[in-house]
PDB file of all heavy atoms in Angstrom:
ATOM      1  N   ASP A 242     293.945 172.436 259.321  1.00 98.00           N
ATOM      2  CA  ASP A 242     292.668 171.757 259.439  1.00 98.00           C
ATOM      3  C   ASP A 242     292.854 170.274 259.750  1.00 98.00           C
ATOM      4  O   ASP A 242     293.861 169.663 259.372  1.00 98.00           O
ATOM      5  CB  ASP A 242     291.912 171.947 258.090  1.00 98.00           C
ATOM      6  CG  ASP A 242     290.409 171.882 258.258  1.00 98.00           C
ATOM      7  OD1 ASP A 242     289.940 171.976 259.400  1.00 98.00           O
ATOM      8  OD2 ASP A 242     289.717 171.744 257.223  1.00 98.00           O
ATOM      9  N   HIS A 243     291.891 169.686 260.415  1.00 98.00           N
ATOM     10  CA  HIS A 243     291.880 168.232 260.749  1.00 98.00           C
ATOM     11  C   HIS A 243     293.278 167.646 260.946  1.00 98.00           C
ATOM     12  O   HIS A 243     293.743 166.851 260.139  1.00 98.00           O
ATOM     13  CB  HIS A 243     291.108 167.477 259.657  1.00 98.00           C
ATOM     14  CG  HIS A 243     289.680 167.865 259.619  1.00 98.00           C
ATOM     15  ND1 HIS A 243     288.800 167.599 260.660  1.00 98.00           N
ATOM     16  CD2 HIS A 243     288.978 168.566 258.705  1.00 98.00           C
ATOM     17  CE1 HIS A 243     287.603 168.083 260.365  1.00 98.00           C
ATOM     18  NE2 HIS A 243     287.691 168.706 259.202  1.00 98.00           N
ATOM     19  N   GLU A 296     287.286 168.658 268.219  1.00 98.00           N
ATOM     20  CA  GLU A 296     286.119 168.141 267.482  1.00 98.00           C
ATOM     21  C   GLU A 296     285.496 166.958 268.210  1.00 98.00           C
ATOM     22  O   GLU A 296     286.200 166.080 268.678  1.00 98.00           O
ATOM     23  CB  GLU A 296     286.593 167.733 266.092  1.00 98.00           C
ATOM     24  CG  GLU A 296     285.459 167.376 265.175  1.00 98.00           C
ATOM     25  CD  GLU A 296     285.882 167.359 263.705  1.00 98.00           C
ATOM     26  OE1 GLU A 296     286.771 168.149 263.302  1.00 98.00           O
ATOM     27  OE2 GLU A 296     285.313 166.547 262.960  1.00 98.00           O
ATOM     28  N   ILE A 300     281.239 163.309 261.797  1.00 91.00           N
ATOM     29  CA  ILE A 300     280.628 163.938 260.618  1.00 91.00           C
ATOM     30  C   ILE A 300     281.208 163.374 259.318  1.00 91.00           C
ATOM     31  O   ILE A 300     281.158 163.992 258.263  1.00 91.00           O
ATOM     32  CB  ILE A 300     280.772 165.494 260.656  1.00 91.00           C
ATOM     33  CG1 ILE A 300     282.233 165.905 260.775  1.00 91.00           C
ATOM     34  CG2 ILE A 300     279.985 166.082 261.799  1.00 91.00           C
ATOM     35  CD1 ILE A 300     282.465 167.378 260.431  1.00 91.00           C
ATOM     36  N   HIS A 343     281.026 165.752 256.099  1.00 97.00           N
ATOM     37  CA  HIS A 343     282.069 166.103 255.122  1.00 97.00           C
ATOM     38  C   HIS A 343     281.721 165.572 253.719  1.00 97.00           C
ATOM     39  O   HIS A 343     281.255 164.446 253.576  1.00 97.00           O
ATOM     40  CB  HIS A 343     283.420 165.483 255.544  1.00 97.00           C
ATOM     41  CG  HIS A 343     284.114 166.293 256.590  1.00 97.00           C
ATOM     42  ND1 HIS A 343     284.533 165.778 257.779  1.00 97.00           N
ATOM     43  CD2 HIS A 343     284.497 167.596 256.606  1.00 97.00           C
ATOM     44  CE1 HIS A 343     285.118 166.707 258.502  1.00 97.00           C
ATOM     45  NE2 HIS A 343     285.124 167.833 257.807  1.00 97.00           N
ATOM     46  N   HIS A 377     281.804 172.313 260.356  1.00 98.00           N
ATOM     47  CA  HIS A 377     282.568 171.635 259.289  1.00 98.00           C
ATOM     48  C   HIS A 377     281.567 171.085 258.283  1.00 98.00           C
ATOM     49  O   HIS A 377     280.373 170.998 258.544  1.00 98.00           O
ATOM     50  CB  HIS A 377     283.412 170.510 259.872  1.00 98.00           C
ATOM     51  CG  HIS A 377     284.648 171.005 260.534  1.00 98.00           C
ATOM     52  ND1 HIS A 377     285.879 170.930 259.959  1.00 98.00           N
ATOM     53  CD2 HIS A 377     284.829 171.590 261.732  1.00 98.00           C
ATOM     54  CE1 HIS A 377     286.770 171.461 260.772  1.00 98.00           C
ATOM     55  NE2 HIS A 377     286.174 171.871 261.864  1.00 98.00           N
ATOM     56  N   GLY A 378     282.104 170.675 257.130  1.00 98.00           N
ATOM     57  CA  GLY A 378     281.265 170.004 256.147  1.00 98.00           C
ATOM     58  C   GLY A 378     280.184 170.913 255.594  1.00 98.00           C
ATOM     59  O   GLY A 378     279.055 170.475 255.386  1.00 98.00           O
ATOM     60  N   HIS A 399     283.191 175.908 257.393  1.00 98.00           N
ATOM     61  CA  HIS A 399     284.187 175.326 256.494  1.00 98.00           C
ATOM     62  C   HIS A 399     283.561 174.848 255.196  1.00 98.00           C
ATOM     63  O   HIS A 399     282.575 174.126 255.212  1.00 98.00           O
ATOM     64  CB  HIS A 399     284.827 174.090 257.152  1.00 98.00           C
ATOM     65  CG  HIS A 399     285.824 174.408 258.205  1.00 98.00           C
ATOM     66  ND1 HIS A 399     287.002 173.723 258.331  1.00 98.00           N
ATOM     67  CD2 HIS A 399     285.850 175.355 259.173  1.00 98.00           C
ATOM     68  CE1 HIS A 399     287.706 174.201 259.341  1.00 98.00           C
ATOM     69  NE2 HIS A 399     287.022 175.191 259.874  1.00 98.00           N
TER      70      HIS A 399
HETATM   71 ZN1  LIG B 796     286.168 169.625 258.305  1.00 92.76          ZN
END
Side-chain angles (χ1 to χ4, degrees):
D242 206 15
H243 295 294
E296 187 164 328
I300 56 164
H343 279 125
H377 282 258
H399 283 221

